[in-house]
Amino acid sequence: MSFIQDYKAHIIEREALGVPPLPLNAEQTVALVEMIKDNVGDMAQNIDLLTNRVSPGVDDAAYVKAAFLNDIALEKITIKDISAPRAVEMMGMMLGGYNVKPLVDALTSKNSDVINAAKEALKHTLLVYDSFNDVEELYKAGNTHATEVIKSWADAEWFTSKPALAEKITLTVFKVAGETNTDDLSPASEAFTRSDIPLHANSMLVAKMDNPIETIKKLKEKGHPIAYVGDVVGTGSSRKSGVNSVQWHMGEDIPGVPNKRTGGVVLGSIIAPIFFATCEDSGALPLELDVSEMETGDVITIYPYKGEAHKDGKCIATFKLNPNTITDEVRAGGRIPLIIGRGLTSKARGVLGLSVSDVFLTAEQPTDSGKGYTLAQKMVGRACGMSGVRPGMYVEPVTSTVGSQDTTGPMTRDEIVELAALGFSADLVMQSFCHTAAYPKPSDITMHHTLPDFISKRSGVALRPGDGVIHSWLNRMVLPDTVGTGADSHTRFPIGISFPGGSGIVAFAGVTGSMPLTMPESVLVRFKGELQPGITLRDLVNAIPHQAIKEGLLTVEKKGKKNIFAGRIMEIEGMPNMKCEQAFELSDASAERSAAACTVLLNEEPVIEYLKSNVTLLESMIKAGYEDKRTIQRRIDKMKEWLASPSLMKPDADAEYAAVIEIDLNSITEPILACPNDPDDVATLSEVLASSRPTKIDEVFVGSCMTNIGHYRALGEVLKGEGPVPTTLWVCPPTKMDEKQLTEDGYYAIFGAAGARTEIPGCSLCMGNQARVADNAVVFSTSTRNFDNRLGKGAQVYLGSAELAAVCSMLGRIPTQAEYLEKTKKIEGKESEIYKYLNFNLIKDYKL
């Protein structure tokens, strides 16, 4: 009885938090099974726990559950309250994984009721993987029950048995005016709870408004489902946890899947592309439409097929379903189960010799313009076995490189478990620990010990805490002109192309080796002219929105916001001889533009240099005992293959773009900053000083994936001999390789003399989930984004270059242009040594 007593105590603890108990782990499931076998306790309660509180898929507890239920189905044991057919029915709720073989075996049972239960369960099970072949063999051997299952799959009964999206949906509005970013929906400070969906959902919007959860509860009293409504929804990071939180409060339970919900409606004048896609994957209905006449408490009616929203009997907004297949996605429970199910149906129809099913909607494909292809369109085309892919085309490109980071890694793990996957099909899947290494919580320590083994056992590559930022490592594993994804919005390769996504799509891409994609349009950003003295690449990052604002293609105001980059691919040209590390500064920042992806047109020489260095790094990983060795070696071999015959794709001269933005480098003569607290609100030094923005700087952060070793050398050169700075100065290099080299070069001594606080390599302040600046501080940062409360509560954060950060740290304020140029004179004449990147192949006997 100790299990039940402990579990009841756990229920009380969780009730105090306003959340349901955690799913049962394997040890608890074993104890529960023994109680059921011995007919101990409240059997109805015990069976309910076994049915609804054990996670499905290939969770360890699912293994225990499936084995027990299979013994009942085989009539090896007899349980008074669970008949053999009922045991099979319960296995049928487990989605896939350990339950599938027992269900297939049950098709040959001598018990007709068991057979019928197995047939019904398999008809609605999508995650069968190789067990499909076992059913096919039974079908070919004349097993009529297997034939019935194959025919059901072919007829897509798993889909047609689900209710279609209603023609009319009545909703109560919960509106968050202005912009909602994923930090609002899934605060970084609570990142350690993300895999505990109900608990993490308690933190949704708490930093943005008073009593949001209580407001939602009161709105539910009107008796209608709640719609999440906002002017701009879901900007920022690619956090499925943000969608999870919305769905927990506004979605529907999933039978047999504890502590997770699906469904829900999200309405926004603008919905950030990654957030929109994550809603699709999760079974929610995202709609972009004018929400200006919707307010919290309004009761509205959505007519999805008519494309209208009504209030008080009047049409207040119109919309178009996008993509046109979204009604199928919602019906299937999400885009991911729809893709898997369509594949199962197609495979079954192939076995039966049937033509393509007409049950599913077909993605609308654009007409071919006959024009040339952009660089991105060619890269995605190659991954699809085509010469190019037109904007608006639905494709499923081969996804060669997949990245997972630690604050989303536990969710990705759970998604992989739910997909019932014991291996990866993507060529390389990598897991980092850059967000939690510096100040790990107990849950982080557990993850550090367990997640690497989970990843490497599936042939993935697991980094180690303290190694550094995911992007600085993953970029070194990428193959030119290939497609990738990652559960971090800054997964933006300097070579190739990446379409970041939430943990669900990352799990799907890792498991299947492909990802769903409706090809976005492209915006060309073309630089011309020569870089002027004192101007850095980070200034060019901010020059992009600066120019777009000038041309009326971007507005800072959220209501009625314009953003030419949102949901499109940013394609950058004009500086083909940049080093790959420099190119990443530009591609990385495309996340702040809400771009779907980014390409950078480079010459072969910098890419050759980069890959030669990366081969040495990967070889040193194998020597240092990193796993999975075979995966790392396979990527080394492919890099060497490319180096033996290097070639890079280039855009066609007549490629078409949604817009072309030209930036004259000759006209950029002073640093450009992103101002508090919006990465789109950019201004030159002079414009900042002439405005009412704060100019006194309390804290300075030099770190994040936007930095490389050259930035820290530049910081050190400016600080050298100046003594302690009057600000709080944080220094956090992106990788342990950078840290080691900077130490050997004497720069850490300079940082120490300046009074800097040095952090272990990783994300540090950038993520804001552990280290934080002082409340209400004014901060100058080299990090990626500066949304409200990200780096610290009430902090006002500027974003800019490491060189400008050095000057701000010394002066304790934003400098004038003249002061900036004067203080950075120390860099002049040393550029070739300062901005020299880590070429591991040129370091004798290099080892990690």
Side-chain angles (χ1 to χ4, degrees):
M1 292 292 287
S2 62
F3 157 66
I4 285 294
Q5 289 168 351
D6 290 345
Y7 195 67
K8 285 182 177 178
H10 172 67
I11 290 173
I12 292 170
E13 289 175 3
R14 298 280 289 185
E15 282 179 345
L17 298 171
V19 296
L22 291 169
L24 300 180
N25 60 31
E27 184 180 357
Q28 291 171 323
T29 306
V30 168
L32 178 63
V33 165
E34 291 304 314
M35 290 178 63
I36 295 173
K37 285 181 178 179
D38 296 338
N39 196 25
V40 174
D42 183 335
M43 290 302 287
Q45 173 187 269
N46 292 345
I47 293 170
D48 179 69
L49 287 175
L50 186 67
T51 305
N52 295 306
R53 301 309 303 170
V54 177
S55 295
V58 291
D59 184 85
D60 289 344
Y63 180 84
V64 176
K65 176 178 176 178
F68 172 58
L69 293 174
N70 189 39
D71 282 346
I72 299 173
L74 293 172
E75 299 182 87
K76 289 182 178 180
I77 59 175
T78 301
I79 303 296
K80 175 175 173 288
D81 295 290
I82 306 177
S83 67
R86 175 57 184 154
V88 174
E89 290 173 4
M90 290 168 68
M91 279 194 285
M93 299 172 66
M94 296 177 67
L95 301 184
Y98 297 126
N99 65 324
V100 176
K101 186 179 185 304
L103 291 176
V104 175
D105 290 345
L107 294 176
T108 58
S109 172
K110 295 178 181 179
N111 185 327
S112 60
D113 291 334
V114 165
I115 292 173
N116 289 333
K119 283 190 298 186
E120 289 307 306
L122 282 169
K123 288 175 183 179
H124 303 281
T125 299
L126 304 183
L127 303 174
V128 295
Y129 298 119
D130 291 342
S131 292
F132 180 94
N133 301 326
D134 300 327
V135 179
E136 183 182 359
E137 284 182 16
L138 288 173
Y139 154 73
K140 288 179 177 177
N143 184 300
T144 57
H145 312 300
T147 300
E148 189 176 331
V149 172
I150 290 274
K151 188 175 186 306
S152 175
W153 286 340
D155 292 342
E157 288 183 356
W158 62 267
F159 178 75
T160 57
S161 62
K162 296 175 182 287
L165 181 67
E167 305 240 353
K168 173 183 175 182
I169 307 171
T170 301
L171 303 159
T172 300
V173 170
F174 173 71
K175 185 173 183 180
V176 183
E179 178 180 43
T180 311
N181 62 62
T182 47
D183 267 352
D184 298 321
L185 298 172
S186 170
S189 59
E190 301 298 316
F192 65 100
T193 66
R194 282 181 183 153
S195 61
D196 186 348
I197 293 172
L199 183 60
H200 189 69
N202 280 343
S203 64
M204 186 179 88
L205 297 170
V206 293
K208 193 173 182 71
M209 59 193 301
D210 294 330
N211 301 318
I213 310 306
E214 287 302 314
T215 300
I216 293 170
K217 287 179 180 177
K218 288 180 181 177
L219 291 174
K220 288 181 177 179
E221 293 174 3
K222 295 197 175 192
H224 308 297
I226 308 297
Y228 190 100
V229 180
D231 296 306
V232 181
V233 181
T235 53
S237 301
S238 51
R239 295 182 191 162
K240 190 170 190 285
S241 50
V243 173
N244 283 342
S245 292
V246 171
Q247 287 188 308
W248 183 255
H249 293 299
M250 304 175 194
E252 307 160 359
D253 289 330
I254 309 171
V257 183
N259 294 13
K260 189 173 184 180
R261 289 175 177 159
T262 187
V265 177
V266 177
L267 308 177
S269 296
I270 295 176
I271 303 177
I274 297 176
F275 193 83
F276 190 102
T278 305
C279 287
E280 288 184 81
D281 297 335
S282 307
L285 175 64
L287 298 172
E288 286 193 314
L289 72 170
D290 181 2
V291 301
S292 60
E293 293 193 44
M294 300 179 193
E295 298 297 338
T296 294
D298 286 348
V299 174
I300 61 171
T301 304
I302 300 292
Y303 297 88
Y305 303 97
K306 289 169 62 177
E308 294 180 358
H310 289 216
K311 184 174 79 170
D312 298 330
K314 297 179 181 178
C315 180
I316 58 171
T318 59
F319 58 89
K320 180 182 178 182
L321 288 173
N322 179 40
N324 70 295
T325 55
I326 199 164
T327 53
D328 277 7
E329 294 171 1
V330 174
R331 185 177 190 179
R335 181 170 58 166
I336 289 174
L338 177 63
I339 293 168
I340 293 170
R342 282 191 316 218
L344 179 63
T345 292
S346 177
K347 197 171 182 179
R349 294 182 77 82
V351 168
L352 297 177
L354 301 174
S355 59
V356 175
S357 174
D358 60 1
V359 167
F360 308 106
L361 292 172
T362 302
E364 292 177 352
Q365 302 289 33
T367 55
D368 195 327
S369 65
K371 297 287 187 179
Y373 293 107
T374 72
L375 179 57
Q377 290 160 9
K378 286 187 173 183
M379 288 179 181
V380 175
R382 176 179 285 180
C384 298
M386 304 160 63
S387 56
V389 173
R390 299 291 179 196
M393 185 178 288
Y394 176 81
V395 290
E396 294 177 12
V398 171
T399 311
S400 302
T401 308
V402 178
S404 173
Q405 51 95 341
D406 40 339
T407 62
T408 57
M411 291 192 299
T412 302
R413 175 200 59 208
D414 293 347
E415 300 278 355
I416 292 167
V417 166
E418 282 189 24
L419 287 171
L422 295 172
F424 293 129
S425 295
D427 190 60
L428 187 144
V429 177
M430 192 205 77
Q431 175 68 50
S432 78
F433 296 91
C434 46
H435 295 73
T436 59
Y439 307 97
K441 295 177 172 65
S443 59
D444 297 329
I445 295 294
T446 300
M447 174 185 61
H448 294 170
H449 288 301
T450 58
L451 191 54
D453 191 52
F454 178 91
I455 295 294
S456 60
K457 277 186 175 178
R458 286 165 171 75
S459 76
V461 178
L463 297 184
R464 298 165 183 171
D467 279 352
V469 178
I470 176 174
H471 316 294
S472 303
W473 281 86
L474 191 66
N475 290 347
R476 289 188 172 275
M477 300 179 183
V478 175
L479 295 168
D481 295 337
T482 55
V483 175
T485 190
D488 188 301
S489 54
H490 295 97
T491 308
R492 312 275 172 152
F493 302 152
I495 56 176
I497 188 168
S498 172
F499 296 89
S503 54
I505 203 64
V506 168
F508 180 80
V511 168
T512 67
S514 65
M515 66 180 294
L517 176 68
T518 300
M519 189 67 184
E521 293 180 294
S522 289
V523 173
L524 178 62
V525 176
R526 181 186 292 129
F527 290 99
K528 63 180 182 180
E530 299 294 328
L531 202 64
Q532 298 301 296
I535 302 304
T536 68
L537 277 169
R538 187 57 183 263
D539 297 316
L540 303 190
V541 163
N542 290 327
I544 295 172
H546 198 257
Q547 184 66 31
I549 289 171
K550 286 182 181 178
E551 296 183 20
L553 300 174
L554 176 68
T555 58
V556 177
E557 174 65 31
K558 303 305 176 188
K559 196 166 186 177
K561 184 176 177 69
K562 293 181 182 178
N563 184 356
I564 191 66
F565 307 106
R568 295 188 170 100
I569 300 170
M570 187 187 297
E571 306 210 30
I572 298 173
E573 296 181 4
M575 295 184 289
N577 293 313
M578 282 188 297
K579 304 298 186 183
C580 292
E581 292 92 338
Q582 295 174 312
F584 182 58
E585 279 193 73
L586 294 172
S587 63
D588 191 1
S590 64
E592 273 55 69
R593 309 283 75 81
S594 291
C598 182
T599 65
V600 184
L601 183 63
L602 295 174
N603 287 334
E604 288 178 8
E605 288 74 15
V607 179
I608 291 170
E609 178 183 343
Y610 195 51
L611 259 65
K612 284 181 176 179
S613 175
N614 297 344
V615 165
T616 298
L617 178 64
L618 294 181
E619 288 174 339
S620 71
M621 290 179 70
I622 292 177
K623 292 176 183 175
Y626 284 79
E627 294 289 354
D628 174 79
K629 291 183 177 66
R630 292 169 300 175
T631 297
I632 298 171
Q633 186 61 55
R634 184 171 62 243
R635 185 49 57 99
I636 290 169
D637 293 342
K638 290 184 178 181
M639 287 181 173
K640 288 181 175 179
E641 183 182 341
W642 185 89
L643 286 167
S645 181
S647 67
L648 292 171
M649 291 179 166
K650 298 196 180 296
D652 293 327
D654 60 342
E656 295 181 304
Y657 300 91
V660 177
I661 299 172
E662 286 203 343
I663 299 175
D664 184 359
L665 298 177
N666 297 316
S667 67
I668 302 172
T669 57
E670 59 179 319
I672 306 175
L673 300 70
C675 301
N677 268 348
D678 186 342
D680 285 343
D681 185 10
V682 290
T684 64
L685 264 184
S686 299
E687 290 167 342
V688 170
L689 293 173
S691 71
S692 59
R693 298 179 177 97
T695 57
K696 180 181 179 294
I697 299 296
D698 302 308
E699 303 197 33
V700 174
F701 174 57
V702 181
S704 88
C705 57
M706 285 292 285
T707 62
N708 56 59
I709 195 168
H711 297 127
Y712 297 89
R713 291 197 189 103
L715 171 68
E717 292 298 327
V718 174
L719 294 177
K720 188 184 293 184
E722 299 292 338
V725 298
T727 56
T728 299
L729 172 60
W730 304 69
V731 176
C732 183
T735 73
K736 68 178 183 180
M737 297 84 78
D738 298 300
E739 179 186 53
K740 180 181 178 183
Q741 190 63 50
L742 289 165
T743 302
E744 291 179 359
D745 291 347
Y747 284 103
Y748 264 68
I750 297 171
F751 302 151
R757 172 174 172 171
T758 53
E759 299 265 293
I760 70 169
C763 297
S764 187
L765 285 180
C766 180
M767 174 71 174
N769 63 317
Q770 295 184 330
R772 308 277 283 173
V773 299
D775 290 357
N776 304 312
V778 180
V779 184
F780 189 96
S781 175
T782 63
S783 56
T784 53
R785 52 178 55 123
N786 59 347
F787 296 140
D788 288 343
N789 304 308
R790 183 177 175 92
L791 271 66
K793 185 178 179 181
Q796 297 185 71
V797 182
Y798 288 96
L799 301 177
S801 70
E803 293 81 356
L804 184 52
V807 178
C808 288
S809 72
M810 290 167 55
L811 298 179
R813 57 179 170 79
I814 301 286
T816 64
Q817 168 72 348
E819 288 172 325
Y820 168 73
L821 292 175
E822 177 63 29
K823 294 293 185 184
T824 55
K825 274 185 179 178
K826 292 180 179 181
I827 295 173
E828 292 178 10
K830 302 177 185 177
E831 288 87 353
S832 61
E833 287 300 309
I834 290 173
Y835 302 109
K836 181 173 67 175
Y837 301 96
L838 284 175
N839 287 337
F840 301 108
N841 57 310
L842 301 180
I843 301 174
K844 185 179 180 182
D845 301 323
Y846 180 75
K847 64 173 65 175
L848 274 171

